Amino acid sequence: MDFIQTNLKKWPVLSFLFTLVLFLPSTFANVYFDPGPGTGAPPVLFKSFAMQPFAPDPSALGTSISSLPSPAPCGSGLSFSAPGSHRRIGQGWATWSHGYTGDVYTFNGTSTTINLPPGTRSFYFYAESNSFSTFTAQAVANDGTSSGPISITGNAGAKFIGFYATGSKCLLKSITITFPPAANGFAIGEFGISCLSMVPTMGEWGLMLMGLILFAIAGVFMTRRKLMLSNGMAMETSQGISAAMMFDRKLFMKSLAIVWISGLIGFGISIFGFDYSLTNADVPGFALSSIVLAFIVQLGIQYSNREE
C-alpha cells in the first residue's frame, strides 16, 4: 500500500489511470420498456433495432413447449420458466389482435419468465388474457425495469410488450410477465428479437487498446525528452532496448498486479452490482489492455521519480 500511496501522490495522473482501470468494463447502459404499437402489428424497426420474428413452430398443437430456437445470429434459443401449451389463433386460442393467426403459448398460472439468448439487445412479444374481460398485467426485465401496469383485453386485445437495451454492456436476459388470478391464465406469442453477433469482436476493446498504445508511445517520447533536457545532452543509445523504451521490469510487474487487481474489482462491481454480462471479447481485451496500461503506469512513476 505504501508503494501505491507514495507514487499516487507523486504523479496525480495515476489517479486517473486507476479510475480508468476500475471502470474499464463498465460502460453502463440501461434497459427500457416501450409500449410500441399497442394492439397494432409489430414494427420492423423497434427503437432503431432491426427485429427478426421467430419462425413458425413445427411442433404439434397441444404440445408442452419449454424452449424455442431463435433467429440467427442469436445462437441459442429462448426458454420458458414453465412449459407452455402450443396453440394457434383459431386452433386452441380464440382471439388475438391485428389479424395475427400464428403460434401462441398458453399458461394456466399467473406468470411465466421468458429466458432470452445471450446478446439480446431488444425483444418484444404480445400477451392476452384467457378470460375476455380487461385485466392489468405487468412485465419486468432482469434488471428490474418494469412496464408498469398494462391494461390488456382478453377479447381480440393482445398487446405489444417490448424491452430494449441502450448499449452492449447491459443486455436483456429475461422478462417476466404476470397476470392477476382472475384472468384464468394467459397466452404469449408473436416474438421478435434483435441480438448482438455471437462472433467474437474487439470493437470497444480495440479502440481502448489503440488509445492506450498511442498514450504509451507518447509517454516514452515525453519521458526521454525530459531526461535529455535535464541532462543537457542526448541519452546514450548503448543502454539497450529496455532503457530506450523506459522499461523497468520490476516496476512493471508491480504495476501489472495493481492493474489486474483493480480490473477484477471493476468486473466484480459490474457483474454483481450492475448485472453486467461478460462478452467473448472481455477477457482477451482486458488482458491485452492491462499490459499496455501497466507499462503506462510504470512509465508515469519513472517520470515522477525523475522530477525529484
Side-chain angles (χ1 to χ4, degrees), residues 54 61 92 110 135 146 166 168 215 239 294:
F54 278 55
L61 295 178
T110 58
F135 300 93
S146 174
T166 56
S168 62
F215 190 17
Q239 294 177 326

Side-chain angles (χ1 to χ4, degrees), residues 6-198:
T6 301
N7 286 291
L8 283 178
K9 288 176 183 176
K10 289 180 180 177
W11 203 51
V13 176
L14 284 178
S15 301
F16 165 76
L17 291 175
F18 288 131
T19 303
L20 176 65
V21 174
L22 187 64
F23 293 101
L24 204 55
S26 309
T27 308
F28 299 118
N30 292 311
V31 173
Y32 294 94
F33 166 76
D34 192 284
T39 56
V44 176
L45 287 176
F46 174 53
K47 308 306 292 186
S48 78
F49 295 108
M51 305 300 291
Q52 299 186 69
F54 278 55
D57 189 343
S59 64
L61 295 178
T63 303
S64 291
I65 302 297
S66 296
S67 62
L68 293 170
S70 300
C74 294
S76 60
L78 63 75
S79 64
F80 304 128
S81 57
S85 180
H86 178 208
R87 311 290 176 88
R88 289 195 184 99
I89 309 308
Q91 301 178 70
W93 192 261
T95 69
W96 203 246
S97 61
H98 61 271
Y100 178 75
T101 58
D103 303 304
V104 297
Y105 303 89
T106 64
F107 299 86
N108 294 323
T110 58
S111 70
T112 192
T113 297
I114 306 169
N115 298 303
L116 300 168
T120 299
R121 301 181 300 176
S122 180
F123 182 79
Y124 69 71
F125 64 100
Y126 285 74
E128 187 180 68
S129 62
N130 183 28
S131 296
F132 278 9
S133 300
T134 299
F135 300 93
T136 299
Q138 184 177 30
V140 180
N142 52 277
D143 71 332
T145 300
S146 174
S147 65
I150 308 172
S151 181
I152 301 177
T153 301
N155 186 9
K159 190 164 281 189
F160 179 100
I161 297 171
F163 288 86
Y164 64 97
T166 56
S168 62
K169 299 299 182 185
C170 183
L171 299 172
L172 287 166
K173 295 180 181 178
S174 65
I175 299 171
T176 299
I177 176 73
T178 303
F179 276 83
N184 293 318
F186 60 95
I188 59 175
E190 204 170 356
F191 306 122
I193 194 168
S194 173
C195 292
L196 293 170
S197 172
M198 290 295 99

